[in-house]
Amino acid sequence: MASEENKGDKKGKSPLPMCKYGEKCYRRNSQHLQQYRHPKRKHDEDDEAPEKKPKRETKKGNIKDFFKGKTGKGDDIQAQSEDENKNEPPEEDKSSPSNSEDKTSLEVEARLSEDKTVDAEDENMEDAPVSPADLKENLKQKFLVEMPPDFFQFWDFCKSIKPDKPSEALMESLGFTLVGPFDIVCRRHKNRSPNKKGRSPNYLRHWRYQYDPPEFLTVIKGDDKTQFHLGYYRDDPSEMPVFVAANAAAVNCTISPRGDNLFAAVKYYMDEQLKSKSNTKEKKESLQSLQKQLCEWAKKENLSLEGKTKGMKERDKKVVCKTFHGAGIVVPVDDNDVGYRPVPETPGDLKKILKKIKDSKDEDERNKNFDPLQELITLVQFANDECDYGEGLELGLDLFSFGGECFYRPILHLLPLAYQLLGRPQYAEIITAHLKDRNSSADLSEID
């Protein structure tokens, strides 16, 4: 890329046309680079003479801190983290926010998504997280988030139902199995490395279904046909979940809230099952008995069984856009409306753009159909320059929810950076790990 500006000048040939996106162009495929020239970029010089680079600063605090009164535009929203090697950033990075933004975006993509897959040798060498003696810390090390109190209370409830196999306590009545973090609680991960793929388990992918965004963590699996599952949904990885949600990955990407704890979510499906006319009298009586025990346990633990609690309604007021998966996103927005700007396409029009790209017959057609998406990505980069980080999060999640390998590179161009800028680096790590092996099947255990 160091000589792109002069390509075509030699041997009397006409120079290639300049790419209209200039330094903002994120494409790296050879065909595009052969058709267009690009200005020499700062990151190209860095690639030729690599040196220690500072991490993008990430914000301190979390969503609750912000909504309690933080309203600053730059420093309050802008992220802050230590340099990777504890060195001072170069002076030039401090003086040019726009250049720093572009450089950060390209660094994140280069570091996290140089390719959309990882070769087998690298995966085999992947180290599993350590297993601290403290269970809560063990879970946090492996899944990068803390489990809420109802997680442990629900485990105790299942132990009271089926002491020998708590994970299967709901199998006979609802067809549910406790998975994900519950596998650590029951120590299924012990002495199970390497797994059937010949590598150490990557817990960031453990029971992560095809359409589970980083905000969603599966804890209960249902039937394999629809790939129904329940999980915790949280906007910020440093906070407790805002609700328990359901998704059927073989059907669509829709995320449906089902209460703010596992007891409420499971009761919802008990109610649904009890309405079924196909139940035998014995099964109905058994389910009613189990539901009574669940309700008594929830009451003892002072847990709400409502489908939509006050806290969930409060969260709805903070949602800045719905997103394709329907659960929406929450990002800090200050009194001057800095923090989010909408993607300048209606959901319907954006889906049409993405469908054209996905259905392209060949690379030439796909490159042409990518132009509208490239324009949106360029606008996201401008939005990031002005601290409206929510636009990149919205567009990245919509690409993820729409699905298709052709979107992996733009997703990795958008989401890791958006999460870093929002102070949610755990989610940047999760989306990167997920796209290295995004599995559409129902066999999602990283332990077995």
Side-chain angles (χ1 to χ4, degrees):
M1 289 299 297
S3 61
E4 283 293 331
E5 286 185 289
N6 299 319
K7 187 179 285 188
D9 291 337
K10 297 178 182 179
K11 299 182 180 180
K13 294 182 180 179
S14 299
L16 294 173
M18 177 70 74
C19 174
K20 64 180 179 180
Y21 300 108
E23 291 185 355
K24 297 289 184 181
C25 181
Y26 78 94
R27 300 189 201 178
R28 297 294 179 270
N29 66 74
S30 58
Q31 186 171 1
H32 179 75
L33 297 178
Q34 288 170 5
Q35 292 177 341
Y36 300 96
R37 60 193 175 100
H38 300 77
K40 187 166 183 177
R41 290 160 289 210
K42 179 68 173 65
H43 76 283
D44 293 327
E45 297 173 359
D46 294 338
D47 290 341
E48 293 169 9
E51 59 185 27
K52 294 178 180 178
K53 301 177 183 179
K55 284 185 178 178
R56 175 70 177 179
E57 293 183 345
T58 54
K59 76 177 181 66
K60 293 182 179 179
N62 53 35
I63 289 176
K64 287 182 179 177
D65 293 335
F66 183 87
F67 284 107
K68 282 179 182 175
K70 281 192 176 183
T71 56
K73 175 176 179 179
D75 294 337
D76 288 346
I77 302 177
Q78 193 79 7
Q80 297 179 9
S81 66
E82 291 186 1
D83 173 63
E84 204 166 48
N85 296 291
K86 302 196 183 215
N87 292 329
E88 284 295 318
E91 290 299 320
E92 60 188 15
D93 288 342
K94 294 178 180 178
S95 62
S96 179
S98 180
N99 288 342
S100 174
E101 191 74 57
D102 292 340
K103 181 177 178 182
T104 303
S105 174
L106 292 162
E107 283 176 0
V108 170
E109 184 180 13
R111 184 172 69 253
L112 301 179
S113 61
E114 186 169 4
D115 195 359
K116 65 189 174 189
T117 59
V118 173
D119 60 46
E121 183 178 354
D122 288 342
E123 280 285 87
N124 291 341
M125 296 176 67
E126 194 171 47
D127 291 330
V130 294
S131 296
D134 180 76
L135 177 58
K136 292 183 179 180
E137 186 60 29
N138 192 351
L139 291 165
K140 187 175 181 180
Q141 292 256 2
K142 288 177 169 57
F143 297 96
L144 304 185
V145 292
E146 290 185 27
M147 296 302 119
D150 72 276
F151 172 85
F152 303 99
Q153 293 160 349
F154 194 77
W155 176 255
D156 289 339
F157 165 70
C158 289
K159 278 201 300 184
S160 73
I161 303 300
K162 195 167 187 176
D164 55 333
K165 289 186 177 180
S167 295
E168 299 178 8
L170 303 176
M171 173 58 76
E172 186 177 345
S173 57
L174 294 170
F176 289 176
T177 305
L178 308 190
V179 295
F182 283 117
D183 288 330
I184 308 305
V185 178
C186 66
R187 302 172 66 84
R188 284 194 67 247
H189 65 299
K190 291 295 183 180
N191 304 316
R192 302 295 286 271
S193 182
N195 57 23
K196 61 189 174 186
K197 295 181 180 179
R199 66 189 185 208
S200 297
N202 186 317
Y203 293 99
L204 302 185
R205 289 195 294 265
H206 186 50
W207 288 107
R208 183 164 290 280
Y209 285 79
Q210 181 181 8
Y211 292 112
D212 292 352
E215 291 84 355
F216 188 103
L217 177 62
T218 299
V219 293
I220 294 177
K221 71 176 287 287
D223 68 284
D224 289 343
K225 184 178 180 180
T226 65
Q227 297 181 20
F228 175 86
H229 55 291
L230 293 168
Y232 289 115
Y233 190 97
R234 64 187 96 203
D235 297 298
D236 191 313
S238 66
E239 297 176 358
M240 289 298 173
V242 288
F243 52 76
V244 173
N247 170 252
V251 180
N252 55 41
C253 66
T254 303
I255 294 174
S256 305
R258 294 290 183 244
D260 71 358
N261 63 80
L262 287 175
F263 290 86
V266 170
K267 181 182 181 297
Y268 175 91
Y269 290 100
M270 285 180 170
D271 290 340
E272 292 291 300
Q273 186 68 262
L274 286 169
K275 295 175 186 176
S276 174
K277 296 180 180 179
S278 62
N279 287 330
T280 63
K281 182 180 179 181
E282 292 76 14
K283 184 174 181 179
K284 188 173 183 179
E285 290 176 350
S286 175
L287 191 56
Q288 287 173 333
S289 174
L290 181 61
Q291 187 184 67
K292 182 180 179 182
Q293 294 177 67
L294 180 139
C295 292
E296 290 174 350
W297 200 284
K299 183 178 181 180
K300 179 183 70 173
E301 301 291 353
N302 198 29
L303 293 169
S304 171
L305 293 175
E306 295 179 21
K308 193 147 193 173
T309 62
K310 181 180 178 181
M312 293 168 68
K313 292 175 183 176
E314 287 298 315
R315 189 256 180 189
D316 286 345
K317 297 176 184 177
K318 301 171 187 176
V319 170
V320 294
C321 64
K322 282 297 181 184
T323 64
F324 285 178
H325 60 51
I329 59 173
V330 174
V331 294
V333 179
D334 70 13
D335 292 340
N336 297 315
D337 288 332
V338 174
Y340 170 76
R341 67 180 70 173
V343 173
E345 291 285 354
T346 65
D349 287 343
L350 180 56
K351 287 178 181 178
K352 290 178 183 177
I353 291 172
L354 302 185
K355 188 176 188 302
K356 284 185 69 176
I357 295 171
K358 193 172 181 179
D359 294 344
S360 297
K361 297 176 182 177
D362 53 44
E363 195 65 25
D364 285 338
E365 184 178 339
R366 179 160 289 161
N367 280 335
K368 181 180 178 181
N369 291 335
F370 247 106
D371 281 346
L373 178 58
Q374 170 70 72
E375 291 180 9
L376 294 177
I377 291 172
T378 301
L379 292 175
V380 166
Q381 292 169 332
F382 292 139
N384 285 341
D385 289 342
E386 298 175 12
C387 300
D388 288 329
Y389 307 139
E391 184 177 13
L393 179 61
E394 178 186 1
L395 182 58
L397 286 174
D398 282 348
L399 293 180
F400 175 82
S401 295
F402 191 84
E405 287 191 24
C406 57
F407 301 118
Y408 285 10
R409 185 169 292 278
I411 290 170
L412 286 170
H413 182 81
L414 292 165
L415 283 185
L417 178 60
Y419 286 131
Q420 292 285 354
L421 295 175
L422 288 165
R424 305 170 186 178
Q426 300 93 325
Y427 288 165
E429 196 171 338
I430 291 171
I431 190 63
T432 304
H434 191 184
L435 290 187
K436 286 177 181 176
D437 188 10
R438 189 180 184 184
N439 198 332
S440 61
S441 77
D443 182 14
L444 297 167
S445 174
E446 281 282 319
I447 292 174
D448 299 320

